[in-house]
Amino acid sequence: MSDQNQAGIQTRNVQGILGVAEKLRRQITGDLHEHVVEAIYEDAARIADRAVTRPGANVRPTFDRTLDRILTSRLWGFPIMLLLFALMFWLTIAGANVPSGWLATLLIDKLWPILREGANSLGSPWWLTGLLIDGVYLATAWVVSVMLPPMAIFFPLFTLLEDFGYLPRIAFNLDKMFKHAGAHGKQSMSMMMGFGCNAAGVVAARIIDSPRERLIAILTNNFSLCNGRWPTQILVASLFVGSLAPAPLAGLVSAGAVVGVALLGVLAAFVVSWTLSRTVLKGEVSSFSLELPPYRPPRLLQTLYTSIIDRTIFVLWRAIVFAAPAGAAIWLSANIKINGWSLAEHIIYGLDPMGLFIGLNGVILLAYIVAIPANEIVVPTILMLTVLVTGSHGVGQGTGVMFELDSAASTKALLESGGWTLLTAVNLMLFSLLHNPCSTTIYTIYKETGSAKWTTLSVLIPLAMGFAATFLVAMAWRWFAG
């Protein structure tokens, strides 16, 4: 079609539109300008009627006002907030069990033996197969299977609350408590994000404008019990704490113990925030105007993209980068022999006096040293090291190979053979909460602060508190038992 014909068609279309507009214009009675002005004033009056409260007149109820009256009330605000987050954590933990099991079956039970057989068939030396398959690959597989499902559930749920407009209400409810602690009300949101992943919680502290209060939020985010530490808490509480109660109440007692540890972490965050704000980060508490946005329906597709791509995959990739060398270090420590003992055994026996003194043991301390890259591998590392030092036969997959047992009774029996008691379990739960951040979080803190000083402090503060807490509990436990 020629340009001239296209121009003719466009001209006829424009003329047709103008003709329709003119016809509609004749159908309107009166002055068109007056109709437009009246419509504008009617909209303004309707908006003012909803937003403006006049003396002697009751506030006109709206959906936002009615919901805010409940969610931000002194009576119902906190219980609803705790109930929502308890539900979110329950959905995360319960919902992650099945996909975590699927991933573990695929990556560990099926793919790991195939890789070992493939390496052996290619004539790979035993040490190279062990280092790459039993060490690097297995550690990475543990991190993916344990870390991915909870984050893939928690982050979308958290983002849905954020998109709905509920998170600013949380900051409103907690602002006074954080202000008394010398911190910022918005720290509550970064703290909640930390329950999914501390690295993500550190990044979320960007929403705090004050550099001083943002730094407080970053340094205390590790006290939020991230999803990498929940498996350790749940396992230990189930094996040692829940077993103290009658069978029908065992699950409830175990859950109560884990929730208690999580709340203890929140208390620790307040205490450390208060201490920092009056010492090395002393300064005036900033005031801020918190705008409560209108409630809006969550955008599911955008929520999935933001939570899965921007948060879950980003954090998981960083964890994998650090977990791979950790797996190599774990395997090497168990297989390098010095005077008939493995390097791991030398370290464990060297750490045992201090570990037993604070109600732990050398196995636990070494596990937390080599598992700095990822808390997800603490439990399989502890089991592997326990087999190594006790010489248990028929348990595990080989020297330096991390594993977990299917039976809770078998797991407890193995740990008890390594000298575990109820004190060991309680102090491990405390140390799991109060210890240095994982390497992914440490790296993120350094990237966010640009300071080696504050990054070092973020490591030393919880570590010192962890040793102090376990020491005090061990001393009190032995005093009462003695």
Side-chain angles (χ1 to χ4, degrees), residues 76 106 156 236 243 269 285 291 323 341 360 383 406-407 421 451:
W76 297 108
L106 174 64
V236 175
S243 61
V285 179
E291 178 183 356
W341 282 0
L360 298 172
L383 295 179
D406 296 331
S407 167
T421 63
S451 168

Side-chain angles (χ1 to χ4, degrees), residues 137-200:
Y137 170 78
L138 201 54
T140 305
W142 276 113
V143 169
V144 172
S145 62
V146 176
M147 189 175 187
L148 178 58
M151 287 200 304
I153 296 173
F154 179 85
F155 285 152
L157 292 175
F158 189 89
T159 308
L160 284 174
L161 292 180
E162 181 181 21
D163 206 27
F164 179 63
Y166 181 61
L167 293 189
R169 274 76 184 178
I170 294 178
F172 176 84
N173 291 336
L174 296 176
D175 178 54
K176 185 174 291 186
M177 295 175 63
F178 278 96
K179 186 175 181 179
H180 287 317
H184 199 285
K186 289 183 179 179
Q187 183 175 331
S188 60
M189 291 187 272
S190 65
M191 178 187 291
M192 294 300 176
M193 179 66 79
F195 280 103
C197 176
N198 295 131

Side-chain angles (χ1 to χ4, degrees), residues 71 73-83 173-174 177:
L71 297 181
S73 72
R74 293 183 178 181
L75 178 62
W76 297 108
F78 280 92
I80 291 175
M81 180 183 67
L82 292 175
L83 181 63
N173 291 336
L174 296 176
M177 295 175 63

